[in-house]
Every structure is written in C-alpha cells, then in structure tokens.
Amino acid sequence: VRLLLDDTEKTMLAKTQWKENGFRWELPQEVDYKHLVAVKEHPYFGSMSINDTHARILYQPIMLYGFLSDQQRGYFQLLKTSHDYSSTDSGSYMYVDRNIYIKGEKELSQNNTKVIHAVNLNLQKGWNTVNNNTTITESGMKISITTEVSPPSEWAFLTSN
C-alpha cells in the first residue's frame, strides 16, 4: 500500500506492506513546501472567507493505492453511501502549515451540471481529517467539505478498472 499525492512514485509520502489482512501507515509529520500552495490561490478556496491568506495548504488529495507486483489494483477510501445512493460521505486528509479557517460557497458548472461547493473548515497546523459529503439535488450536485462532521470510519477498496 502506497500513500501518494497522485498515481506516480514521484510524490509518494509513505509505503507499507499488506499483512495479516490489513496495513498500518503514518502520515509524515511535515509535508515538503513544494507540495503546498497558498490557500488564496486554491481554485475552490481562494474566493472564500479565509482568516489567513498567507497559509499554505496541500492542494491535491492524498490517495492510498493498492499495488500487486508493482501494478496498481485500486485504492482505499473512507466511504459511506446512503441507502438510496443519493448521498455519499468520504473522508480525506488535508495538511496546512498553520491554523486557519475557510468558509463559503462556490458554484461551478461541470459537464453541464451545477455543482455547489460548500466549505466549512477549521484547520489546525498539520494534518486534519475532513468529511466530504456529495449529495445529488434536483438542480445538480452539492459537495460539502467540513471539519464539523467526522468522516466515515470504515475503509472501502475500490478497483481502478
């Protein structure tokens, strides 16, 4: 199992072995400055209310990829889906270089679908667990990103293909 910023070995944060039907991993204490961007330049957060626009944040989500003989087979995700599949909660990790809060909404259009990003984050310096809720609405989709709700606690393995 490899903890990556993307699907290449160039940005691997950690690596661990699958044993006894599971794995154990730790996030690095600090993230290299080259992986961080100013929060005011983040495509979703930049136009929202931010108490410290000089803070730097890990831009891309980290992924836990499963490999077999150096071939990627899928990825692990903290995941919970509603019974009618209209809502999904997923967990992710965000890294910031100082304590900040980010609040606001941003409406985007993706593939002719209205997508509202609602953000309510109170992030402490270092790693933070974040809940991402995606809900299908009559007019499109709403994605809520918050530290106010705990993310799901069970891991799912999703295959790549």
Side-chain angles (χ1 to χ4, degrees):
V1 177
R2 300 174 190 167
L3 179 65
L4 307 173
L5 290 177
D6 57 32
D7 60 1
T8 70
E9 293 290 323
K10 296 176 188 169
T11 52
M12 184 166 47
L13 295 175
K15 184 177 182 178
T16 187
Q17 294 294 317
W18 181 272
K19 31 180 154 164
E20 297 176 19
N21 211 20
F23 60 92
R24 189 174 195 79
W25 57 277
E26 289 185 23
L27 293 165
Q29 289 292 318
E30 300 215 359
V31 173
D32 193 319
Y33 188 81
K34 70 183 177 186
H35 297 301
L36 305 176
V37 296
V39 70
K40 65 183 176 187
E41 296 172 10
H42 190 282
Y44 298 128
F45 305 147
S47 60
M48 296 181 182
S49 176
I50 304 166
N51 70 321
D52 185 345
T53 57
H54 297 291
R56 298 185 69 79
I57 192 167
L58 184 62
Y59 175 75
Q60 60 268 69
I62 61 169
M63 298 294 294
L64 283 167
Y65 288 101
F67 286 79
L68 181 61
S69 301
D70 280 338
Q71 185 173 2
Q72 183 184 324
R73 297 295 186 181
Y75 61 96
F76 294 91
Q77 185 173 19
L78 292 166
L79 191 65
K80 182 180 177 187
T81 303
S82 65
H83 294 295
D84 64 358
Y85 298 99
S86 65
S87 177
T88 301
D89 283 293
S90 62
S92 63
Y93 298 89
M94 280 189 168
Y95 180 90
V96 291
D97 69 347
R98 64 190 80 189
N99 297 349
I100 62 167
Y101 72 78
I102 307 167
K103 294 185 177 160
E105 282 193 0
K106 183 172 188 169
E107 186 176 316
L108 301 170
S109 179
Q110 294 175 341
N111 301 324
N112 296 324
T113 301
K114 182 171 100 172
V115 180
I116 296 173
H117 291 266
V119 177
N120 183 9
L121 296 171
N122 185 6
L123 303 168
Q124 305 302 308
K125 179 181 179 178
W127 291 100
N128 296 266
T129 55
V130 176
N131 187 68
N132 306 285
N133 174 271
T134 303
T135 303
I136 306 300
T137 65
E138 288 182 20
S139 59
M141 187 182 313
K142 182 171 185 177
I143 300 172
S144 300
I145 305 167
T146 184
T147 50
E148 302 298 313
V149 176
S150 295
S153 59
E154 292 188 23
W155 290 96
F157 184 73
L158 307 167
T159 57
S160 299
N161 296 334

